[in-house]
Amino acid sequence: MEQCLIFDADDTLWENNVYFERAIDEFLELMRPAVAEAALVRETLRQVEREMIPIGGYGSRNFIYALKETCCRLYRGSDGARYLEGIERIGERLLHHPVELRPGVRSTLPMLRRHYRLLLFSKGDLSEQAGKLQRSGLRPYFDRVVIVAEKDASAYRSLLREHGLAAEQTCMIGNSPRSDVVPALQAGLWAVYLPHPITWDHEDHPVEPHPRLLHAGSFEELPPLLTRQAFAPAASRQA
């Protein structure tokens, strides 16, 4: 059974959280005349997101709803429509931000594609994630693209089963401990932890030493890292 590399999308292949942080900064500035305590606004937003993710899932649209709900919980004035209009403008910028590839992605993926089967495994809004992949120009490198509501151990086991993959011949590569590393290891896969300097705190989770866990400091490190380990390529594939 051929070896397969599964890639996370946001903050692994392209920048994502930096745009959400920028939107939060804009939201804090918008709310400053009404709520002077930025820490209160940010903590309320975190709480609202925790409540809304199980209902509306991940993605920019649900985040925009969370901004509006946060505003409604904190603001009691008579001109709330002005704030909601400001949130709409923030949301438009977030929804249409450019797709900026992470360093080394464009040069490294073709190298990996010659030796491994490549899959993309992402969570969030289907149309939003598919749109970012299309704009990125990376779609031709992936045999399959799978977008799910949540990436837990059960989702990884289903992925293996549905795509005919053997866990010991499959490696998940991503920046999120909670969604990429820990559940992949729980499902029996290999995992490469590729940290991003601005990972969403919702994705934090302790990463303990594991015999199938590898660490990379950059995307360019992946080919030699995989070759040095038990995941050395067994055969070449056409690009």
Side-chain angles (χ1 to χ4, degrees):
M1 195 170 286
E2 66 181 332
Q3 294 167 307
C4 179
L5 304 181
I6 303 175
F7 287 89
D8 172 51
D10 292 338
D11 290 322
T12 296
L13 296 178
W14 51 69
E15 298 289 355
N16 181 66
N17 196 47
V18 63
Y19 294 104
F20 282 84
E21 288 297 323
R22 190 174 300 169
I24 291 173
D25 288 341
E26 293 177 3
F27 179 63
L28 294 176
E29 183 62 25
L30 174 70
M31 294 296 295
R32 191 157 61 90
V35 185
E37 299 177 54
L40 173 62
V41 179
R42 187 177 282 271
E43 182 53 40
T44 304
L45 175 59
R46 286 197 185 97
Q47 178 59 37
V48 171
E49 284 191 279
R50 286 193 290 267
E51 295 171 11
M52 295 188 68
I53 286 172
I55 300 170
Y58 300 92
S60 298
R61 289 175 179 83
N62 202 39
F63 175 76
I64 296 165
Y65 295 149
L67 293 181
K68 292 179 179 179
E69 175 63 20
T70 300
C71 176
C72 291
R73 291 188 187 185
L74 293 175
Y75 182 67
R76 294 291 182 267
S78 59
D79 59 343
R82 180 172 67 87
Y83 288 91
L84 295 179
E85 289 170 2
I87 293 170
E88 285 288 345
R89 290 191 292 271
I90 294 171
E92 282 298 308
R93 287 190 289 274
L94 180 62
L95 285 167
H96 298 100
H97 70 71
V99 177
E100 179 185 355
L101 297 184
R102 294 284 295 145
V105 168
R106 194 173 297 281
S107 60
T108 305
L109 274 183
M111 299 168 55
L112 296 172
R113 180 69 178 82
R114 288 194 290 269
H115 300 291
Y116 303 95
R117 181 183 180 188
L118 304 187
L119 270 68
L120 187 143
F121 189 40
S122 179
K123 70 180 182 182
D125 181 88
L126 176 61
S127 62
E128 182 177 2
Q129 293 301 96
K132 285 192 283 189
L133 177 59
Q134 186 65 31
R135 299 199 307 277
S136 75
L138 301 179
R139 179 62 184 88
Y141 296 116
F142 296 100
D143 290 350
R144 295 286 185 275
V145 175
V146 180
I147 300 170
V148 295
E150 190 65 78
K151 286 160 63 177
D152 52 20
S154 176
Y156 281 94
R157 294 187 188 100
S158 296
L159 188 72
L160 294 175
R161 184 172 58 254
E162 293 169 7
H163 295 276
L165 304 174
E168 66 275 9
Q169 296 291 322
T170 304
C171 184
M172 178 67 197
I173 299 166
N175 71 291
S176 166
R178 180 178 177 270
S179 296
D180 302 327
V181 176
V182 173
L185 293 173
Q186 289 172 342
L189 286 71
W190 288 73
V192 176
Y193 180 30
L194 183 61
H196 187 286
I198 311 176
T199 294
W200 184 22
D201 56 12
H202 180 78
E203 296 297 326
D204 286 343
H205 193 286
V207 178
E208 304 292 342
H210 193 286
R212 292 190 304 277
L213 174 61
L214 309 175
H215 295 262
S218 68
F219 215 88
E220 294 95 333
E221 292 180 18
L222 292 176
L225 174 68
L226 294 167
T227 299
R228 286 197 305 269
Q229 302 296 327
F231 221 73
S236 294
R237 293 168 52 89
Q238 294 298 316

